[in-house]
Amino acid sequence: MLNKYPKTKITLISLLSLIILLVTFVFWLRSLMPANVNQQDLSVTQPQDLVYLSKGVKEYRGKILAVVTSTDVMDTSGQKTGYELTELARAYYVFEANGFEVDIASPKGGKPPVVIDDDDMGKFDFAFLNDTVAQVKVDNSIAMADVNTSQYQAVYFVGGKGAMFDFPENASIKSLVSEYYQSGKVVGAVCHGPAALVNVTLDDGSALLANKIVSSFTNDEELLLIPNAKDIFPFLLQNKLTEQGANFDVGHVYLANMAQDGNLVTGQNPWSVWLVAEAMIEQLGYLPVKRQITAEENTISILTTYEEEGIQQAKVKISLMLANDTNSFDRVLLVVHTAVYGMQWQLGKSIDMLRLLSFADNN
């Protein structure tokens, strides 16, 4: 009897079934874990609750401009977007703790759209939402055309998919980046924020990006979550940066990675915010104020060790962390990376994540 279904159709059905099983398994695994496995109820955190700020620099060192997107919908796809709250909040407090006042701008000015991912929220992010001064600044962001560029020592471009649509062609952004880079002021950007570097020309007519070491959200990261990204975005950011002459620094998928080329500081994804913000402080000539490393950062460190040195060394790192604090890393983030590896068909690595979780629970 002839097979009723073509082989290609059977293969697609099998792949789809495997994906569904994997996703179902991950959600089941997460359901077994406490909702706040590493934290108390942080939603009421106030800025004054952040020990980091209370021990920060008291002297006034100047101002840094943070720029967020004004785009709320991804082109014709209809998908909502905006700036990523965590990418603004964490950098905002690094700058403040190190003596810098932060102003917030956007291409259109006014209240910009925001993306809040509940799974990623930590005490700094909730503190930002409860920070009256910060919220007034966000709700009344300065239009880029009205920014007095002479007031700031540095600029930081916040990520969020909306940046892909309104950063690259904004004349005020291009002018500010060119001016700051050539005058030695610090230019920082993270995730999709480096879209602000696209199409920037220096006074000699060359592209800013020519031969510069930069990082940003990678093609692999973009296409993993949005397979039709090429149809939604005007371009893939890694491709565009490379086309304009950048030496693109690719880190591990969804792990922290920061690239610095003189006064140009860029980060790959949301987990790179701390690295970018503190590197900007160093480039400004100051030693960053010490802070307690977050559980999320420790987890990213475990995952980086796993990628570069293998599972045994990752277990060693977990043991050292557990010896100091049983909640020193975020188990939920390990579960998330179980899915990330699975979505890349790296099933062996997915199994290794489960082995690390089991190891942590038994030590």
Side-chain angles (χ1 to χ4, degrees), residues 46-61:
Q46 301 292 322
Q48 57 267 30
D49 298 327
L50 301 176
V51 176
Y52 177 52
L53 288 183
S54 66
K55 293 184 177 181
V57 174
K58 305 307 177 187
E59 67 175 294
Y60 178 76
R61 290 174 168 173

Side-chain angles (χ1 to χ4, degrees), residues 161-333:
K161 293 177 174 59
M164 295 285 287
F165 299 94
D166 60 2
F167 278 11
E169 300 301 333
N170 186 281
S172 297
I173 286 178
K174 289 190 285 186
S175 175
L176 179 146
V177 172
S178 180
E179 174 192 337
Y180 276 28
Y181 178 77
Q182 292 180 105
S183 64
K185 291 185 175 182
V186 180
V187 177
V190 73
C191 201
H192 290 92
L197 309 179
V198 171
N199 302 328
V200 175
T201 303
L202 304 180
D203 290 346
D204 63 4
S206 64
L208 164 71
L209 289 165
N211 299 313
K212 302 299 189 305
I213 302 172
V214 299
S215 186
S216 78
F217 210 54
T218 66
N219 289 352
D220 287 343
E221 290 168 324
E222 198 79 84
L223 295 169
L224 186 63
L225 293 183
I226 309 179
N228 63 333
K230 293 179 181 179
D231 300 323
I232 293 176
F233 296 112
F235 50 79
L236 293 181
L237 188 50
Q238 178 181 344
N239 286 352
K240 181 63 71 172
L241 296 174
T242 303
E243 287 169 9
Q244 296 194 355
N247 296 318
F248 195 84
D249 183 5
V250 181
H252 301 295
V253 171
Y254 293 125
L255 298 182
N257 181 47
M258 184 271 293
Q260 182 167 0
D261 195 322
N263 58 324
L264 183 61
V265 185
T266 51
Q268 181 168 319
N269 48 40
W271 294 279
S272 311
V273 172
W274 300 109
L275 295 176
V276 170
E278 290 179 337
M280 289 177 66
I281 296 299
E282 289 187 8
Q283 186 62 29
L284 285 163
Y286 302 100
L287 182 67
V289 172
K290 288 186 178 180
R291 60 180 175 80
Q292 182 178 11
I293 301 303
T294 66
E296 179 185 83
E297 289 175 277
N298 280 334
T299 309
I300 294 299
S301 177
I302 291 169
L303 290 164
T304 301
T305 297
Y306 167 75
E307 283 285 355
E308 298 178 354
E309 302 178 47
I311 191 169
Q312 293 306 318
Q313 287 306 308
K315 288 181 178 179
V316 170
K317 179 154 285 191
I318 288 175
S319 295
L320 292 173
M321 290 180 182
L322 290 174
N324 295 319
D325 181 1
T326 56
N327 290 325
S328 58
F329 66 94
D330 187 347
R331 289 163 172 79
V332 172
L333 193 51

Side-chain angles (χ1 to χ4, degrees), residues 3-159:
N3 195 326
K4 183 178 179 181
Y5 301 103
K7 288 184 178 180
T8 54
K9 188 170 183 178
I10 293 174
T11 301
L12 288 174
I13 292 173
S14 299
L15 290 176
L16 181 59
S17 298
L18 183 58
I19 292 172
I20 292 172
L21 285 172
L22 178 62
V23 172
T24 302
F25 171 72
V26 170
F27 275 100
W28 168 78
L29 184 61
R30 290 192 62 177
S31 72
L32 299 180
M33 304 180 71
N36 294 309
V37 68
N38 288 324
Q39 58 186 20
Q40 304 167 341
D41 181 11
L42 301 178
S43 63
V44 295
T45 305
Q46 301 292 322
Q48 57 267 30
D49 298 327
L50 301 176
V51 176
Y52 177 52
L53 288 183
S54 66
K55 293 184 177 181
V57 174
K58 305 307 177 187
E59 67 175 294
Y60 178 76
R61 290 174 168 173
K63 299 177 75 173
I64 293 176
L65 184 69
V67 183
V68 300
T69 180
S70 293
T71 301
D72 60 353
V73 177
M74 286 193 278
D75 200 25
T76 57
S77 70
Q79 297 182 51
K80 296 292 185 181
T81 188
Y83 73 89
E84 293 284 344
L85 176 77
T86 59
E87 295 178 23
L88 173 59
R90 299 171 189 186
Y92 182 94
Y93 286 128
V94 169
F95 300 150
E96 278 209 335
N98 284 279
F100 289 90
E101 180 183 352
V102 184
D103 283 345
I104 299 171
S106 63
K108 293 181 179 179
K111 187 174 182 176
V114 60
V115 174
I116 299 177
D117 188 337
D118 292 339
D119 288 339
D120 293 336
M121 295 290 285
K123 63 181 179 180
F124 287 88
D125 313 306
F126 285 116
F128 186 81
L129 288 178
N130 296 323
D131 188 328
T132 304
V133 174
Q135 290 305 305
V136 168
K137 290 183 177 182
V138 170
D139 290 348
N140 300 276
S141 69
I142 307 165
M144 280 304 304
D146 297 330
V147 169
N148 181 347
T149 59
S150 66
Q151 291 187 351
Y152 306 98
Q153 282 69 58
V155 63
Y156 168 70
F157 291 97
V158 181

